Amino acid sequence: MTVSVEYLASVFNSTLRYMTPILLITLCANVCSKVKVFNIALEGTLLTSAFFAFLTQYFVRNIFVAVLAGMAVGCLMTFVMGFFIVKLNGHPMIVGMALNTFAMGLTTFLLSLVFHTKGVVSDVTMKGLTKVTLPVISDIPVLSTMFSTLTTVDYLAFFMAFVVFVILYKTPVGFRLRAIGINDAAASSLGINVQKYQIIAVTVSGALIGLAGCLLSLGSVTLFVQNISSARGYISLAANALCRNHPLGALLSSALFGFSTALSYVLQNTAAKQQLLNNIPYICTIAAMAIYNLVNLKKKERLKAKKGNA
Amino acid sequence: MNKRIDWKRIGGALLESLGQPFIAVLISFLLGGIIIRFAGEKAIPTYAIMLNGAFGNGFYLSATLSRATPIIMGGLAVCIAWRSGYEAMGGEGQMILGAFCGALVAAYFPGPGIVKIIMAILVACVVGAAYSVLSGWLYDRFDVTFIISTLMLNYIANNLASYFTTYVVKDPASLDINSIFTAKIDETARIGKIFEGYSIHWGFVLALVMVVVTYVILYRTSFGYKAKMGGLNPRFALYGGINSRRMLYLVMVLSGVMAGLGGVFEVLGSKYRYVDQMIFSTAYAWSGMVAALLANFNPFGTTVASVLLAGLATGGSAMQRGTSIPVETANMIEGVITLLMSVKLIALLSERFSIKKKKTIRHGKDGEEA
């Protein structure tokens, strides 16, 4: 197999395209765990927002409205989750599982109600997200492949990582949010309305998942298929654990998942079998976390040993 | 005077334990009714079809109980692990590997039927336990949290089983490309049906036995006590001289055995082979986890919740057959019930009222003092 530069460029391109939804979801998981709300409803939120973005575009035919609808549904789902966990003191795991089950049921139900199918729905006349053609780069052969077919939301995803970072680490609001995560009792004693902050943060971060949902159903192809989210929510949970809750780290960890997914599709053309290749992202997750933790543990041990000697 | 039965308190406790599920079910079925109306069917007849399809007669009831079997086992696996403080969700992967390996052993192991059955069950236990221990080892050695490692291992198990079923051990007798399953198990090597012509099999009874076993282990042995201590307060457990590492692996083994058994019961009792995606697409382990969480990790409560969840699923498919409503409506109802069960509705309500009462009393006193 000869590997051309053009080929590598296309791998880079698909890495970018697989990574952006995961990046957005990871950022949401990031904010949620910063305010101590364990969010396992990522999967269901993603599924519903992808569906409603698609549905809105199908009826309204206005991509801007469709993206807004996706974001609104994302916010609504995370709000319900936040309300049940924070205000009503529900077990995060049960609440999340319940929402995931509900989302699966709701989307399939509406799919068969509106489109009379439980499989794939696509409409060639439907417009997806606007594709960005970069002015100079699109004329250069390799670079143009690297950045081709990326939509506005793809670029927005990278931008959002920096936005979330600035909000969390450089503003008073972010300081309060992080304070809640570190010690909610102490934050409360400083006069921060912990529950209010938690619910608002969780709700707003749902919009990020809404964007990711738009990328799935209105991104490079405009179609919706039952369970389109296909475990991206859970993978993002892992990506978030890997980047230790840091928005800029999320860029790296989601790139890892994007790359491993791209790799599994690239190798598809070789003799390797699909089922085995599908495991690449999952094995990468475990391996990456294990290596990261091992290195950290060794560092700590070394520090301890140094202190002992001194 | 002291021996007088406090009816008020008993009533309150009853209201609290039964009222909660009642309200949750009521609200979610009301919501479901609106959805059904929305889809163009009448709510009450649709629910009648659903109820009949879940528990209506012996045939449907036996289908529900048969479906509940792997859910109960998945629930027990969660009960054991979570009660000990390990939030592992690997039941699905362990169940898949248990089912897959059990199906192969039952189909190819030489010897009479009973030997095949025993070997299949043993192998499923070992495989389930080993896969569970793997996630325990990742936690112990590399500090990989259970939620992440078990989620990933579930997908890996499903993909591996799918790979081997498709390319390596596909049933040689099947000519259809689209039907991906292993060879059918001999009639002698199956777990028999309890009643001829009904789908309920002895695996359900074995599952009930395992429920009692789990109860005894968790509530009546020092192991269960230590496990619970470790779950409630790991530091205190350490102080009390409990070897937490040993506990971790023991808990993982037990939990994996339960999940593996769930898989092999399903294969030997109802499918008679491993069909690609059979555990993954039915989400038995996830339902089991929901059941265990709802029952607060009590094995008996888990059993009841599992049967109800299974009934919702079988009733849902009856509804799909009998009306134009798709089976996924049952998923929505299940989601809402679970969501409402996650919070202590009645406790919250009564708390709210009692706070108001207290406030008014205090205000009254203040008024008097002033």
Side-chain angles (χ1 to χ4, degrees), chain B residues 42 67 70 112-114 118 188 200 223 225 228 250 277 282 308 333 347 356:
Chain B
K42 288 205 169 80
R67 193 187 172 90
I114 187 73
I118 292 171
T188 51
I200 186 168
F223 168 80
Y225 178 69
K228 195 185 171 192
L250 274 176
Q277 313 287 342
T282 45
L308 290 179
I333 294 173
K356 266 183 192 162

Side-chain angles (χ1 to χ4, degrees), chain A residues 38 88 90 93-95 97-98 102 105-106 108-109 112 118 231 234 238 273 275 278-279 282 289 293-294, chain B residues 35 82 89 141-143 148 152 155-156 159 162-163 166-167 286 320 326 328-329 332 335 338-339 342-343:
Chain A
F38 177 66
L88 303 182
M93 204 59 134
I94 314 184
V95 174
M97 296 283 302
F102 180 77
L106 180 73
T108 318
F109 172 76
S112 66
K118 278 189 190 174
Y234 297 122
K273 295 286 188 267
Q275 284 96 332
N278 283 346
N279 279 337
Y282 309 129
M289 284 198 66
N293 290 339
L294 203 63
Chain B
I35 292 165
W82 284 55
M89 309 193 286
R141 182 75 184 79
F142 300 103
D143 205 20
I148 307 296
M152 299 298 121
Y155 289 107
I156 293 173
N159 283 330
S162 178
Y163 170 78
T166 316
Y167 298 105
W286 288 101
Q320 173 157 294
E328 280 75 19
T329 315
M332 287 158 76
T338 324
L339 191 62
S342 73
V343 294

Side-chain angles (χ1 to χ4, degrees), chain A residues 62-306:
Chain A
N62 183 329
I63 193 69
F64 190 67
V65 177
V67 172
L68 279 184
M71 287 165 74
V73 169
C75 290
L76 185 68
M77 286 288 284
T78 43
F79 169 73
V80 172
M81 187 202 70
F83 187 78
F84 270 84
I85 293 177
V86 175
K87 262 282 193 264
L88 303 182
N89 218 358
H91 194 298
M93 204 59 134
I94 314 184
V95 174
M97 296 283 302
L99 284 174
N100 288 343
T101 314
F102 180 77
M104 189 68 193
L106 180 73
T107 50
T108 318
F109 172 76
L110 288 177
L111 198 65
S112 66
L113 197 69
V114 179
F115 301 103
H116 305 288
T117 174
K118 278 189 190 174
V120 189
V121 182
S122 65
D123 186 344
V124 271
T125 63
M126 239 165 86
K127 268 177 75 180
L129 297 165
T130 327
K131 304 242 173 13
V132 178
T133 36
L134 296 167
V136 187
I137 286 175
S138 57
D139 298 328
I140 307 168
V142 175
L143 281 178
S144 71
T145 325
M146 281 169 78
F147 293 100
S148 71
T149 67
L150 288 181
T151 64
T152 37
V153 178
D154 284 307
Y155 288 101
L156 189 63
F158 293 104
F159 182 63
M160 286 317 287
F162 290 97
V163 171
V164 172
F165 170 72
V166 169
I167 291 177
L168 282 179
Y169 288 87
K170 305 286 173 201
T171 65
V173 177
F175 175 75
R176 284 178 206 135
L177 291 178
R178 286 189 297 133
I180 291 169
I182 294 162
N183 189 336
D184 51 351
S188 173
S189 75
L190 286 176
I192 299 173
N193 188 341
V194 173
Q195 294 196 341
K196 195 173 121 194
Y197 268 93
Q198 279 179 318
I199 291 183
I200 291 177
V202 167
T203 307
V204 171
S205 70
L208 293 167
I209 300 193
L211 285 175
C214 296
L215 272 177
L216 292 191
S217 61
L218 300 170
S220 46
V221 277
T222 52
L223 65 82
F224 187 85
V225 53
Q226 192 185 13
N227 200 10
I228 195 174
S229 50
S230 57
R232 280 185 185 82
Y234 297 122
I235 289 186
S236 306
L237 211 59
N240 188 43
L242 197 58
C243 72
R244 299 276 141 166
N245 279 339
H246 198 287
L248 297 182
L251 283 169
L252 281 178
S253 62
S254 61
L256 173 73
F257 287 105
F259 178 66
S260 53
T261 315
L263 203 66
S264 72
Y265 282 97
V266 166
L267 295 175
Q268 208 175 346
N269 300 326
T270 62
K273 295 286 188 267
Q274 184 64 41
Q275 284 96 332
L276 294 182
L277 293 173
N278 283 346
N279 279 337
I280 293 176
Y282 309 129
I283 294 173
C284 277
T285 312
I286 296 178
M289 284 198 66
I291 293 168
Y292 183 92
N293 290 339
L294 203 63
V295 171
N296 256 20
L297 278 177
K298 286 231 169 108
K299 226 186 248 171
K300 267 183 200 164
E301 273 167 20
R302 231 178 291 146
L303 278 177
K304 255 188 194 170
K306 262 186 193 169

Side-chain angles (χ1 to χ4, degrees), chain B residues 16-72:
Chain B
E16 210 161 292
S17 59
L18 291 179
Q20 166 94 16
F22 181 73
I23 291 180
V25 169
L26 193 72
I27 294 178
S28 40
F29 274 82
L30 271 175
L31 269 173
I34 296 169
I35 292 165
I36 289 167
R37 281 304 294 184
F38 184 63
E41 292 271 351
K42 288 205 169 80
I44 307 253
T46 309
Y47 279 140
I49 290 172
M50 208 170 155
L51 189 67
N52 184 49
F55 307 106
N57 58 36
F59 185 77
Y60 290 134
L61 182 67
S62 89
T64 299
L65 293 183
S66 160
R67 193 187 172 90
T69 308
I71 300 181
I72 293 172

Side-chain angles (χ1 to χ4, degrees), chain B residues 285-308:
Chain B
W286 288 101
S287 300
M289 191 166 119
V290 170
L293 282 165
L294 290 179
N296 204 16
F297 315 125
N298 179 309
F300 295 116
T302 304
T303 310
V304 175
S306 302
V307 171
L308 290 179

